[in-house]
Amino acid sequence: MLASRPPMGFNTWNTFGDKIDENLIHEAADAMVRLGLKDAGYEYLVIDDCWSEYERDPVTDRIVPHHVKFPNGMKAVADYVHSKGLKFGMYSCDGVRTCADYPGSYDHEFLDAKTFAEWGVDYLKYDNCYHPGSADEPTLYRRMGMALRASGREILFSACNWGSSNVWDWIRSTGAHMYRSTGDIFDNAESYRNIARSQMDKLHASAPGCFNDMDMLTVGMYGRGLVGSQGCNSADYRSQFALWCMFSCPLMLGCDIRTMNEETLKLVTNPELIRIDQDAEARPPIFLQGKDETDRIYAFKFLEDGAYALGVFNLSEEDREYRVLFNDTGLAASACKAFQFTDVMTGENIGIHREHLKVQVPAHDCRVFRTELVDFR
Ligand code: GLA
């Protein structure tokens, strides 16, 4: 089954926008292997918008790769990516034009899917700009879902309609393997927090086979690149990455992976965080003590192996001490059980706690724990 776990990879859009070419893709593929990203689970290298000529080929009606950016065509790019043991992703749109005004796949779905399959594409991000008002989104996504299945190649279908038309109600039925459920992310604290908050009551729709996608990560961008407005500090990047993991979202890196700093690399390859994200059951977290608090989130998640994860997120502007109560987790006070906590960022065992956990979290930062029930008398 495709997307039995949240897909992981790298996408060109956040940092590079239309500044993409064959050389960049080669360097990104090399970096994914050299830096250990591939070994950590990042397998899809995805070219976003702006890869084609401005018009289709007048004779064949096919989309044509841009002759300067991709002089050897996309099959050659796919071959290089595959030679590194990675999978190759591309982008199109359900409209007449893509969001950046290149040819879209509207009414060309089956031809384009066949073309992508011939090139060796393994993943298609499918955007939502410039479709006729008369065309409803579920039908357009179904069309591409069917076209991909008819293409003769196994292609992961990454739908991107930004949460419009109540996407949660119908997207699984289109064959999509992941679906963007929010507007575009920008590299600032407000953006990733609003995105995460807006999904807290939507995660029931996300499950193996079709995952809720909160957009490409801005982790490690530090204000550089196309969506690099303001930038975040390292505490924010820890929180963003941990939220995506606690929510079992696809992990698509959007920073310049070739030049990411050590801290970023360590964060995005943290095995315990990735293990939480990739948990086979992908259960939505429970939001302890309510989900309407605006300046903190306590997320508690049941994991496949009987353990649990707890994320404590400080969204305020000051360092805080929190008291997280266990009642909402399901743990009855009379159970003679308690939680043993290990900090997944530091590996530190912070002991056994029966009814609540007192935890210090710096402004904008988070603490994430793996926790197991132990006997307590
Ligand atoms: C939309 C999508 C983005 C990106 C751009 C490309 O805005 O949501 O993720 O693909 O289009 O133009």
Side-chain angles (χ1 to χ4, degrees), residues 13 48-49 91 99-100 125 127 160 162 180 184 215-216:
W13 182 254
D48 208 281
D49 206 347
Y91 165 101
C99 297
K125 173 172 170 180
D127 221 330
C160 177
W162 326 300
R180 271 279 300 285
D184 287 11
D215 207 354
M216 286 87 72

Side-chain angles (χ1 to χ4, degrees), residues 179-234:
Y179 55 98
R180 271 279 300 285
S181 50
T182 72
D184 287 11
I185 198 166
F186 290 92
D187 189 22
N188 60 61
E190 205 192 342
S191 175
Y192 83 81
R193 288 171 173 182
N194 287 343
I195 284 177
R197 283 209 160 283
S198 73
Q199 300 309 290
M200 285 166 68
D201 61 354
K202 304 283 194 311
L203 295 170
H204 57 279
S206 182
C210 188
F211 289 99
N212 187 86
D213 173 10
M214 299 200 295
D215 207 354
M216 286 87 72
L217 296 153
T218 66
V219 172
M221 287 185 69
Y222 294 100
R224 292 186 298 261
L226 189 77
V227 304
S229 54
Q230 296 169 36
C232 288
N233 61 26
S234 302

Side-chain angles (χ1 to χ4, degrees), residues 73-343:
M74 300 323 280
K75 174 83 170 62
V77 181
D79 287 349
Y80 188 84
V81 171
H82 291 149
S83 77
K84 298 284 159 183
L86 298 166
K87 293 184 174 155
F88 181 51
M90 290 195 70
Y91 165 101
S92 190
C93 182
D94 66 3
V96 172
R97 305 292 288 177
T98 71
C99 297
D101 200 17
Y102 293 79
S105 292
Y106 179 75
D107 238 348
H108 293 75
E109 292 86 355
F110 283 69
L111 175 64
D112 290 353
K114 189 160 166 276
T115 305
F116 291 133
E118 285 169 12
W119 288 344
V121 169
D122 306 297
Y123 174 119
L124 181 70
K125 173 172 170 180
Y126 202 51
D127 221 330
N128 193 39
C129 287
Y130 303 117
H131 61 72
S134 57
D136 73 286
E137 292 178 18
T139 308
L140 292 181
Y141 279 90
R142 271 201 296 277
R143 272 203 207 166
M144 187 47 94
M146 189 176 278
L148 290 174
R149 281 162 189 248
S151 73
R153 188 174 171 89
E154 192 172 68
I155 299 179
L156 188 148
F157 185 22
S158 166
C160 177
N161 85 329
W162 326 300
S164 62
S165 304
N166 289 321
V167 67
W168 305 273
D169 294 343
W170 50 267
I171 192 67
R172 287 185 79 85
S173 68
T174 68
H177 299 100
M178 54 194 266
Y179 55 98
R180 271 279 300 285
S181 50
T182 72
D184 287 11
I185 198 166
F186 290 92
D187 189 22
N188 60 61
E190 205 192 342
S191 175
Y192 83 81
R193 288 171 173 182
N194 287 343
I195 284 177
R197 283 209 160 283
S198 73
Q199 300 309 290
M200 285 166 68
D201 61 354
K202 304 283 194 311
L203 295 170
H204 57 279
S206 182
C210 188
F211 289 99
N212 187 86
D213 173 10
M214 299 200 295
D215 207 354
M216 286 87 72
L217 296 153
T218 66
V219 172
M221 287 185 69
Y222 294 100
R224 292 186 298 261
L226 189 77
V227 304
S229 54
Q230 296 169 36
C232 288
N233 61 26
S234 302
D236 274 314
Y237 290 141
R238 278 191 288 280
S239 291
Q240 183 187 144
F241 193 72
L243 280 165
W244 267 231
C245 291
M246 288 298 295
F247 289 20
S248 287
C249 280
L251 299 176
M252 301 302 291
L253 301 170
C255 68
D256 185 347
I257 50 173
R258 302 168 306 171
T259 57
M260 73 208 291
N261 66 20
E262 274 298 314
E263 194 179 359
T264 304
L265 181 60
K266 198 160 166 237
L267 174 65
V268 302
T269 56
N270 179 301
E272 288 299 327
L273 285 171
I274 290 179
R275 190 165 153 205
I276 293 169
D277 180 77
Q278 297 285 296
D279 188 84
E281 295 183 352
R283 298 191 184 277
I286 300 145
F287 297 103
L288 308 179
Q289 287 151 263
K291 58 177 166 9
D292 298 329
E293 296 285 333
T294 52
D295 62 357
R296 57 105 180 125
I297 295 173
Y298 304 154
F300 182 86
K301 187 178 177 75
F302 282 52
L303 300 175
E304 59 174 315
D305 60 359
Y308 305 87
L310 171 67
V312 181
F313 298 87
N314 180 354
L315 311 186
S316 82
E317 298 304 321
E318 47 194 59
D319 300 353
R320 292 258 168 99
E321 182 176 88
Y322 296 107
R323 191 180 290 276
V324 182
L325 308 181
F326 300 159
N327 307 60
D328 296 346
T329 67
L331 181 60
S334 58
C336 299
K337 300 272 183 197
F339 285 119
Q340 159 136 24
F341 290 92
T342 306
D343 185 318

